[in-house]
């Protein structure tokens, strides 16, 4: 083999390796260990729902063999829009406001900002998060980014699905505003400050409501869901202890319900955007360099 032929073969091999690198690199995006599931699972038993709302219920529609002898199974379910991990749309508190199907997907995807106040709620289960709590978080993590999915970790997700622990007392369908209910949340003043001073895309909390249990006037719902601010809000967020304060991209993907006031939502975060290009490119760079040394 002459020098020209060897060089041509080497270039072909290098081109093939680069192509292989590109394929390997695509395959290395979005691996499971980079995904944090922030949703509670829907089931007939292990769920807590606001007492006056219709609980999730699933049953078998058909299970068995078709006349042609083919196994076939289908289930059907019924639920309030506001059961389980779900999003509230502005229409939930404002007539004629934006329904869940009108919320742009780009609003529902954004950088995760997770504020952990669980250390303060142990002693005060009705703790109201202050503006200073937010500013303290920003001092450590930087300003809450525009378009963020801001998630409040109160520690309450650890209590799911024990309704007495999650609500503070046994759920009573005849008493949705039982004064014994206990869970924390943003103070109304803090919600107003966030809506006015930051540009978050979505808010979420690991409790049954974005308003704390002592509220009867729903200030957080009223502020965030207002036509002025229109910030979709998530309730019953799960697994927040697994989340870093920053460095994630959060996806809040609700069921696509026309005119819905809210919807069950599959909520998850991808750490560092799921990009893992460097290991594949590093490996390929070594292979290409070795190939060039051997063949040229
Ligand atoms: Zn809701």
């Amino acid at each position: 083999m002459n020098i020209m032929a060897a060089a041509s073969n080497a270039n072909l091999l290098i081109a093939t390796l680069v192509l292989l690198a590109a394929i390997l690199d695509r395959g290395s995006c979005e691996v499971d260990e980079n995904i944090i599931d922030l949703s509670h699972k829907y089931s007939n038993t292990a769920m807590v729902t606001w007492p006056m709302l219709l609980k999730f219920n699933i049953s078998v529609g058909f299970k068995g063999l078709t006349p042609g002898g083919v196994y076939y199974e289908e289930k059907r379910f019924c639920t309030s829009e506001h059961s389980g991990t779900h999003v509230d749309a502005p229409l939930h508190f404002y007539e004629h406001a934006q329904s869940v199907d009108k919320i742009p997907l780009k609003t529902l995807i954004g950088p995760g900002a997770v504020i952990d106040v669980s250390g303060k709620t142990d002693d005060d289960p009705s703790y109201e998060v202050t503006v200073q709590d937010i500013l303290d978080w920003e001092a450590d993590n930087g300003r809450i980014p525009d378009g963020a999915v801001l998630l409040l970790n109160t520690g309450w997700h650890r209590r799911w699905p024990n309704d007495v622990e999650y609500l503070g007392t046994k759920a009573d369908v005849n008493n949705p505003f039982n004064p014994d209910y206990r869970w924390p949340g943003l103070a109304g003043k803090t919600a107003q400050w966030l809506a006015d001073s930051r540009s978050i895309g979505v808010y979420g909390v690991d409790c049954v409501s974005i308003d704390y249990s002592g509220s009867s006037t729903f200030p957080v719902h009223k502020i965030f869901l207002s036509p002025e601010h229109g910030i979709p809000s998530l309730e019953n967020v799960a697994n927040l202890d697994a989340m870093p304060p920053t460095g994630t991209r959060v996806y809040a993907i609700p069921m696509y319900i026309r005119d819905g006031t809210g919807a069950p939502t599959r909520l998850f975060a991808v750490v560092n955007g799921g990009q893992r290009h460097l290991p594949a490119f590093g490996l390929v760079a070594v292979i290409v360099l070795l190939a060039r040394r051997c063949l040229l």
Side-chain angles (χ1 to χ4, degrees):
M1 189 185 298
N2 63 34
I3 291 176
M4 291 296 288
S8 173
N9 284 343
N11 284 335
L12 184 63
L13 179 59
I14 289 165
T16 304
L17 287 169
V18 168
L19 182 64
L20 181 64
I23 294 168
L24 280 172
D25 190 54
R26 282 173 63 96
S28 66
C29 293
E30 297 194 4
V31 290
D32 280 346
E33 61 263 33
N34 276 358
I35 298 175
I36 301 170
D37 197 335
L38 302 172
S39 319
H40 290 300
K41 191 179 294 186
Y42 282 79
S43 77
N44 286 355
T45 52
M47 291 192 72
V48 187
T49 303
W50 183 278
M52 66 187 278
L53 299 181
L54 184 67
K55 288 184 172 181
F56 176 84
N57 184 270
I58 191 165
S59 58
V60 174
F62 183 89
K63 182 181 170 79
L65 295 179
T66 67
V70 176
Y71 178 80
Y72 176 83
E73 182 173 342
E74 167 260 337
K75 294 188 176 78
R76 52 198 61 174
F77 62 85
C78 191
T79 182
S80 164
E81 299 161 320
H82 298 270
S83 180
T85 305
H86 70 276
V87 69
D88 285 2
L91 181 62
H92 191 33
F93 271 69
Y94 291 89
E95 194 176 11
H96 308 306
Q98 187 181 45
S99 53
V100 73
D101 54 316
K102 299 284 183 4
I103 303 172
L105 279 174
K106 67 179 181 185
T107 301
L108 297 164
I109 300 169
V114 181
I115 301 180
D116 186 346
V117 295
S118 59
K120 300 193 174 185
T121 59
D122 287 340
D123 295 334
D124 184 359
S126 299
Y127 183 70
E128 291 182 87
V129 173
T130 65
V131 173
Q132 191 58 50
D133 289 326
I134 311 286
L135 292 173
D136 289 346
W137 183 90
E138 288 192 333
D140 293 335
N141 299 285
R143 184 182 166 101
I144 297 166
D146 290 354
V149 178
L150 176 65
L151 301 172
L152 188 65
N153 181 359
T154 70
W156 247 240
H157 62 278
R158 302 168 201 153
R159 302 172 179 230
W160 180 281
N162 182 321
D163 62 346
V164 173
E165 288 190 17
Y166 199 70
L167 300 175
T169 187
K170 193 78 186 157
D172 179 359
V173 290
N174 298 313
N175 193 3
F177 300 103
N178 188 331
D180 292 332
Y181 290 148
R182 289 284 179 274
W183 61 85
L186 286 182
K189 270 191 279 189
T190 310
Q192 190 67 60
W193 180 87
L194 274 168
D196 292 340
S197 309
R198 298 294 181 267
S199 297
I200 61 174
V202 176
Y203 171 70
V205 69
D206 55 351
C207 298
V208 73
S209 171
I210 55 172
D211 276 289
Y212 92 110
S213 56
S215 161
S216 59
T217 55
F218 301 99
V220 181
H221 279 89
K222 297 286 286 178
I223 293 162
F224 282 164
L225 302 181
S226 68
E228 182 186 358
H229 297 297
I231 300 169
S233 298
L234 299 154
E235 290 164 337
N236 300 319
V237 174
N239 202 22
L240 282 173
D241 288 341
M243 284 287 282
T246 61
T248 60
R249 190 155 192 82
V250 177
Y251 296 75
I253 309 302
M255 195 172 168
Y256 201 22
I257 303 173
R258 175 179 287 179
D259 299 331
T261 70
T265 297
R266 192 63 189 262
L267 180 67
F268 61 95
V270 180
V271 179
N272 292 325
Q275 302 301 307
R276 297 187 65 197
H277 296 277
L278 287 178
F281 267 118
L283 176 66
V284 167
V286 170
I287 293 173
V288 168
L289 283 172
L290 285 174
R292 286 184 71 90
R293 285 191 66 141
C294 292
L295 296 172
L296 289 178

